[in-house]
Amino acid sequence: MHFLPESLENYITQHSENEPEILSELTRETHLKVVQPRMITGHYQGRVLSMLSKIIRPRRILEIGTYTGYSAICLAEGLPDDGLLHTIDINEELSEIQRKYFNRSGFGDKIIQHTGDALKIIPALDQIFDLVFIDAEKKMYDAYFEAVIKKTKPGSIILTDNVLWSGKVIERLDKKDLVTRNLLAYNKKLKNDPRIETVLLSIRDGLTLCRVL
C-alpha cells in the first residue's frame, strides 16, 4: 500500500505534525498483540484525518471499522465540546484495547463503541453525521455508503479508505479477485454519483473524500 519511495515517505512524515505519544503506544501494542497490524491507520494518515476533522469541526462522526481505535482517536481530535463519535466494529475481541486507549486519549466520554454488523447498527442510529469514515470490509463498501448517506446532510463529508488497494485497481484484473472488482465499481460509482462531489487522494492506500450535495 506504499506507492512512494520509503525515503520520500519518511520526509513527508517528518515534515508533518508529530504523532501523539498515545498513538505511538497504541501502534506498538497493536503490533505486539493483534493480527494484521498493517491495518492500523498510522502516523501520516492519522494526522491527515485529524486535520480534516479539525477543519470540518463535526458535531457527529460515524466510523465503520474501528480496528484498535487509532483512526477514531485521530478523528475525535476535531470534535467540539458537545461532539460525539460513533464507531462500529464486528470484532468484539478488540473492544477492550479500543476502550483502554479511548479513555487514555482523553476522548473516552466522546467515543461510543458499537459491536456487530454495521448494516444493522447504522439504521438504528438516530443521528445525522457531519463526518463519516468507511474503513471496514471492502466488498461491502457500496452497501456501507448507501447506509451512511441516508444519515448525512448537504455539506457532510464521507471518507473511504483503501480505495487504491495496493495499486491493484490499475492492474490486470484477476477474475477471482472479487474485492478488487468491487472496489473498481465503488470508485466508479463515487465519481459518477450526482449526490456527491468526489476527489480521490493518493494518501497511503488511497483515501476518497466525498462532499454530500
Side-chain angles (χ1 to χ4, degrees):
M1 65 175 63
H2 299 278
F3 304 107
L4 297 176
E6 183 178 359
S7 57
L8 189 54
E9 284 196 347
N10 289 338
Y11 182 87
I12 291 169
T13 300
Q14 291 164 7
H15 290 81
S16 299
E17 286 296 307
N18 293 333
E19 182 180 44
E21 181 57 32
I22 184 71
L23 293 177
S24 297
E25 293 176 18
L26 174 53
T27 298
R28 287 193 290 272
E29 186 163 345
T30 299
H31 278 78
L32 285 171
K33 298 180 179 179
V34 183
V35 176
Q36 294 183 308
R38 72 192 291 269
M39 290 171 57
I40 200 165
T41 296
H43 176 181
Y44 175 61
Q45 185 174 352
R47 291 305 87 203
V48 172
L49 294 177
S50 171
M51 184 70 78
L52 287 172
S53 185
K54 289 171 182 175
I55 291 169
I56 297 165
R57 296 297 289 170
R59 288 189 65 252
R60 294 292 182 267
I61 301 174
L62 174 61
E63 177 184 56
I64 306 173
T66 317
Y67 192 48
T68 55
Y70 193 110
S71 54
I73 293 172
C74 295
L75 292 167
E77 292 177 20
L79 287 170
D81 291 340
D82 62 346
L84 290 175
L85 184 152
H86 292 261
T87 184
I88 305 170
D89 201 278
I90 199 164
N91 187 353
E92 63 181 359
E93 294 180 0
L94 297 176
S95 296
E96 185 176 340
I97 187 172
Q98 294 164 7
R99 178 46 57 185
K100 178 173 75 170
Y101 281 92
F102 291 161
N103 291 341
R104 288 185 58 195
S105 72
F107 300 113
D109 60 342
K110 295 185 176 184
I111 300 177
I112 300 171
Q113 293 165 277
H114 302 269
T115 302
D117 183 346
L119 294 179
K120 295 180 180 178
I121 293 170
I122 294 168
L125 296 175
D126 186 19
Q127 304 280 331
I128 295 296
F129 295 97
D130 308 294
L131 177 59
V132 177
F133 182 45
I134 301 173
D135 185 17
E137 185 66 45
K138 311 312 169 192
K139 65 183 180 182
M140 299 300 295
Y141 269 12
D142 185 75
Y144 294 148
F145 182 87
E146 289 302 325
V148 301
I149 199 169
K150 298 172 185 175
K151 299 288 185 176
T152 62
K153 61 184 179 181
S156 293
I157 299 297
I158 302 174
L159 304 171
T160 310
D161 200 15
N162 301 115
V163 290
L164 295 181
W165 205 229
S166 299
K168 291 182 180 179
V169 291
I170 59 169
E171 296 174 356
R172 179 188 290 271
L173 181 63
D174 183 337
K175 293 180 180 180
K176 298 179 181 179
D177 187 351
L178 298 181
V179 175
T180 301
R181 185 184 300 278
N182 286 335
L183 281 171
L184 287 167
Y186 181 72
N187 290 341
K188 184 176 181 180
K189 171 202 177 83
L190 296 188
K191 171 64 171 64
N192 296 318
D193 195 320
R195 298 172 294 177
I196 54 175
E197 55 182 353
T198 299
V199 61
L200 198 163
L201 306 173
S202 56
I203 294 171
R204 201 162 178 250
D205 196 27
L207 180 70
T208 300
L209 189 158
C210 299
R211 177 178 174 270
V212 179
L213 299 176

